[in-house]
Amino acid sequence: MRKTIKNLRKIVAEGGVARVMAAHDPLSAILVEEAGFDGIWASGFEYSAAMGLADVSLVSMTEHLTNMRNMADRTSLPIIADVDTGYGNAINVLHTVTQYEAGGAAAVVIEDKMFPKVTSLIEGGRQDLVSIAEFQGKIEAAVSAREDPEFLIIARTEALIAGLGEEEALARARAYEASGADMILIHSKQKTPDEIESFINKWEGNTPIVIVPTAYPQMTEARAKSLNKIGVLIYGNHAVRAAVTGMKQVFSQIINDGGIQNADREIVPVSEIFRLQQMEEVKANEKRFLR
Ligand code: SPV
Ligand code: MG
C-alpha cells in the first residue's frame, strides 16, 4: 500500500474521528492536504460534477481510477476511493479493488446499490439495492482481492436512502460486517441527524461507522465523537461546491465590471498557483540539470 503521512486505521483505533474531505482533481486534493484534513475522499459525485455529468454511473472505472491515481501522485494523505457499486458484480469488484489498491488508495467504499446507481441525495431518486446475499459476495470478493491487510474495505449501505427503514439498515450492516468489512458507511438524506443517531445508538457491531453528513450539517465533529462509534467523517462534496461558489462570484464580477480590475484583487495571485505547481522546484532543477 502507498505510504501516507496519516493512517486512518490508527486514528480510529486510538479513538479519534478521521476528518476526510472530498476532492475532484489533484489540485483540490493538494488543498485538502494543506488544510489539515486526515484523508481525501475521491468522490464519485465530485468527479462526475467536474466532468459536467450526473452521478449515475456515467463515468467509467478507468476515468475515476486515473483521476484518483493522479491525486495519489500529488499528495501524501490516505485516499478513500468511492468506487460506487464496484462497477458491476463481484467479479468486477475483484478487479476494482486490485486496481485501486495498486493505484495508491488506502481504502475503497463499495455501496449496496444496483449498477447503474443513482446519486443518493437527489429528491425522488430511483434507489434500487442488490440483495444482502449478493452484496456479501461483493464484500467477500473485495476482502479477498486486497494485497495488504491494512487496505480498508468499507461497506456502504443505502438502506436508509432507499427508504427501507432502520431494521433493514441494521440487518445489512450486520451482514456486511460478518462478510469482513472493516467499516460500515451508513448514509442518510434526512435534514437532521436523528435518523443516523438512532442507527448508531442501535449499532452493536464492532466495526467503526463512517458517515457523510452533507444533508444534516448539525452533525459537528464534536457531536460525532460523542456518539463513540463513528470512526470517519466524510465531507462529501464541499470541494466542488466551494469551487462553484468561487467561480460564480468571480465570473459574474468580471462580467459586471467589464474587466478584471476588481476581481484581480480578490482571487489568489498567479504566484500562489506557481507555488501549488512547485515551480520553485522546476527552477532549481533547471539550474541543476539544463546544460
Ligand atoms: C460522493 O461524494 O460521491 C458520495 C456521497 O457518494 S453522496 O453524493 O452524498 O452520495
Ligand atoms: Mg459517490
Side-chain angles (χ1 to χ4, degrees):
M1 219 165 75
R2 157 177 161 271
K3 258 198 168 354
T4 52
I5 52 169
K6 298 205 186 185
N7 181 317
L8 296 173
R9 267 188 201 272
K10 191 159 169 276
I11 294 170
V12 176
E14 289 170 354
V17 177
R19 297 161 309 165
V20 176
M21 174 54 79
H24 48 271
D25 59 13
L27 182 61
S28 50
I30 290 168
L31 294 174
V32 170
E33 180 160 345
E34 289 195 349
F37 289 98
D38 300 310
I40 296 161
W41 169 236
S43 157
F45 176 83
E46 288 228 352
Y47 181 61
S48 302
M51 299 287 281
L53 290 170
D55 181 22
V56 292
S57 297
L58 298 180
V59 301
S60 70
M61 185 196 85
T62 315
E63 289 174 301
H64 185 267
L65 172 66
T66 302
N67 192 43
M68 192 287 300
R69 230 187 245 138
N70 291 340
M71 289 185 203
D73 283 348
R74 303 297 316 122
T75 58
S76 9
L77 285 182
I79 299 178
I80 302 181
D82 175 12
V83 299
D84 289 354
T85 63
Y87 301 98
N89 66 18
I91 305 305
N92 298 76
V93 167
L94 290 170
H95 181 62
T96 298
V97 168
T98 303
Q99 292 293 309
Y100 276 79
E101 185 179 0
V108 284
V109 169
I110 309 176
E111 64 198 40
D112 57 4
K113 280 189 183 144
M114 210 170 265
F115 178 89
K117 54 78 69 75
V118 170
T119 195
S120 301
L121 300 180
I122 191 79
E123 275 303 315
R126 175 187 56 78
Q127 303 294 348
D128 300 326
L129 306 196
V130 297
S131 69
I132 294 180
E134 178 176 346
F135 198 67
Q136 283 187 298
K138 292 175 80 165
I139 292 302
E140 284 163 32
V143 170
S144 83
R146 74 175 156 203
E147 284 256 330
D148 187 334
E150 288 297 298
F151 186 81
L152 286 165
I153 306 295
I154 304 175
R156 162 171 168 176
T157 181
E158 293 283 288
L160 299 177
I161 294 284
L164 301 179
E166 186 175 78
E167 273 317 307
E168 178 74 12
L170 285 164
R172 283 179 176 261
R174 279 185 217 112
Y176 306 160
E177 177 181 55
S179 291
D182 299 296
M183 295 188 191
I184 301 293
L185 191 158
I186 176 78
H187 205 11
S188 165
K189 59 183 176 194
Q190 296 292 312
K191 301 278 190 287
T192 67
D194 308 5
E195 184 177 57
I196 282 292
E197 285 184 338
S198 172
F199 174 94
I200 288 170
N201 288 330
K202 294 199 177 100
W203 173 243
E204 286 172 349
N206 294 314
T207 61
I209 298 294
V210 181
I211 60 164
V212 187
T214 310
Y216 48 97
Q218 310 90 320
M219 180 63 86
T220 59
E221 289 163 14
R223 188 161 172 178
K225 194 160 171 45
S226 72
L227 292 169
N228 282 326
K229 297 177 194 169
I230 296 176
V232 180
L233 218 160
I234 295 177
Y235 296 115
N237 53 30
H238 300 79
V240 78
R241 287 166 64 195
V244 168
T245 305
M247 283 190 266
K248 278 188 161 189
Q249 210 171 300
V250 172
F251 295 172
S252 73
Q253 185 168 19
I254 293 170
I255 286 281
N256 292 335
D257 293 350
I260 56 175
Q261 65 277 28
N262 294 318
D264 195 58
R265 287 194 298 272
E266 288 178 25
I267 53 181
V268 296
V270 182
S271 59
E272 170 61 0
I273 308 301
F274 289 153
R275 185 189 69 79
L276 292 163
Q277 293 173 305
Q278 298 188 334
M279 270 310 294
E280 279 309 313
E281 194 181 318
V282 174
K283 277 160 71 181
N285 284 335
E286 280 185 344
K287 267 206 188 99
R288 196 171 157 202
F289 299 119
L290 292 190
R291 315 264 151 91

